[in-house]
Amino acid sequence: MGWAVNSLGKIIRSVQAFGRELSRKTVPLAAPRTPAIGLALGGGFARGIAHIGVLKVLEEESIPVRLIAGTSVGALIGASYCSGLSIAELREVARNTRFTSLARWTLSRYGFASNDRMITFLTRILKARTFEEMRIPLGVAATDFNTGEGVVFHSGEIIDPVRASCAYPGMFLPVNIRGRYLVDGMLSHPVPTHPLREMGADRVLAVHLKGTWAGGGAPKHLFAVIGQSFAIAQDAMGSIWRSAADLVVEPDVAGFEYDDFKRSDELIRVGELAMRKALPQVRQWLEAPAAVSQIAVKPAPQVSPMPAD
């Protein structure tokens, strides 16, 4: 009986000693994770082809983009890229696109053109037809015409939300989606940085297509008037969308017309130049991933466009 008690006592003391030893060891911290980088693509009609240059540089430099949100042409290019188009394919699509690929003139009290041709255009080029099928999570920003409320699509069919996001008021007819008349997302989310935060982005890279539409003088036509009005509104809302961005990249698109599709290679190059200038700051995000949990929404530094070669 005494032997059994002594043996049990030894076992208990051994367990207690083992427990004390464990308590002395430092519990290893979880490995810091790579921050989720989100890319916010703003509007600008044909000038938005510069977004392809931004995406090209990010791919070439192996910068992982985990989330994308787009407004207007940013939604179109974002949807194309997230659906699986390569940079080479995007470049080829841009080279072959013209205004008439996306729109047709019409007589309506709601606008001068319909973008219903985008249905055929997007059906032909997209490699995925729903948000759920996208290889990168995507948000598409539009605006409720009656309430002024920003609407961000994340699920369901992709084509009509992109059409709505591109529906410039006064130029294109509103797009009816489930009983709501929707117009261009530039009225509510000129550069959709806040939607990216809501989607879970730790770092937000905003691409703003800054430039005047009037060329510094009198507008040449009605669309220059509409475009310049949007540019003014976009700048006025700058403090709002910039507050949710960590970095703002601004390709120099001022010398391009709203429908300058024929200059796609130049626009892509402009996007590349601006993004390459911003690379050092983006790389810092990847070098210090442990700081991700401390990120707060703050005013974003601005990266000016680089001069052309």
Side-chain angles (χ1 to χ4, degrees):
M1 184 70 175
W3 174 84
V5 171
N6 288 337
S7 297
L8 181 59
K10 288 180 181 179
I11 293 171
I12 292 173
R13 287 192 293 275
S14 297
V15 171
Q16 289 173 335
F18 181 66
R20 287 193 295 272
E21 184 64 23
L22 280 178
S23 67
R24 294 192 190 101
K25 294 184 179 296
T26 301
V27 178
L29 296 174
R33 67 181 180 88
T34 301
I37 296 176
L39 185 62
L41 303 177
F45 212 59
R47 295 169 173 180
I49 295 172
H51 290 320
I52 300 174
V54 172
L55 289 164
K56 181 175 183 289
V57 171
L58 292 171
E59 270 202 8
E60 289 175 349
E61 300 299 325
S62 299
I63 305 297
V65 175
R66 298 263 299 278
L67 305 157
I68 294 178
T71 288
S72 199
V73 67
L76 193 158
I77 289 177
S80 301
Y81 185 70
C82 291
S83 79
L85 268 70
S86 67
I87 297 300
E89 289 171 322
L90 282 171
R91 183 191 292 272
E92 192 62 24
V93 168
R95 284 173 174 170
N96 293 302
T97 298
R98 296 293 182 267
F99 178 83
T100 53
S101 304
L102 308 172
R104 62 180 176 84
W105 300 114
T106 185
L107 291 176
S108 171
R109 57 185 174 180
Y110 301 122
F112 292 95
S114 167
N115 67 9
D116 56 2
R117 286 184 178 172
M118 288 184 69
I119 298 173
T120 302
F121 177 82
L122 291 171
T123 299
R124 177 172 56 83
I125 68 169
L126 292 182
K127 296 186 178 182
R129 303 296 169 78
T130 67
F131 285 90
E132 290 79 6
E133 295 172 310
M134 295 287 163
R135 66 184 181 93
I136 299 173
L138 173 69
V140 170
T143 306
D144 187 308
F145 180 74
N146 291 307
T147 67
E149 176 189 4
V151 180
V152 182
F153 292 89
H154 300 288
S155 63
E157 297 288 333
I158 185 71
I159 290 178
D160 277 350
V162 171
R163 288 181 58 223
S165 187
C166 294
Y168 254 54
M171 183 173 183
F172 292 115
L173 309 184
V175 176
N176 185 341
I177 299 180
R178 294 189 290 275
R180 299 181 78 175
Y181 286 92
L182 302 172
V183 293
D184 203 298
M186 289 179 69
L187 289 173
S188 53
H189 295 291
V191 184
T193 54
H194 284 283
L196 271 180
R197 291 288 186 190
E198 293 168 2
M199 290 167 67
D202 296 312
R203 294 290 194 184
V204 171
L205 173 61
V207 185
H208 175 220
L209 303 175
K210 183 177 177 62
T212 64
W213 289 67
K220 299 177 182 177
H221 42 65
L222 173 62
F223 304 125
V225 174
I226 296 172
Q228 183 65 5
S229 298
F230 267 96
I232 293 169
Q234 195 172 27
D235 287 344
M237 295 174 66
S239 61
I240 298 174
W241 61 261
R242 286 177 188 271
S243 68
D246 293 288
L247 179 63
V248 178
V249 175
E250 295 189 324
D252 185 3
V253 296
F256 296 87
E257 297 291 334
Y258 81 99
D259 59 349
D260 247 345
F261 293 100
K262 62 183 179 297
R263 299 174 66 188
S264 60
D265 284 347
E266 296 173 66
L267 281 162
I268 291 172
R269 179 61 175 159
V270 163
E272 287 185 67
L273 291 170
M275 188 63 239
R276 289 210 174 275
K277 186 174 182 180
L279 275 177
Q281 289 168 271
V282 176
R283 286 199 181 101
Q284 287 179 6
W285 302 345
L286 302 178
E287 291 168 359
V292 170
S293 61
Q294 303 301 317
I295 293 174
V297 175
K298 58 185 182 303
Q302 177 176 318
V303 174
S304 300
M306 289 182 66
D309 292 345

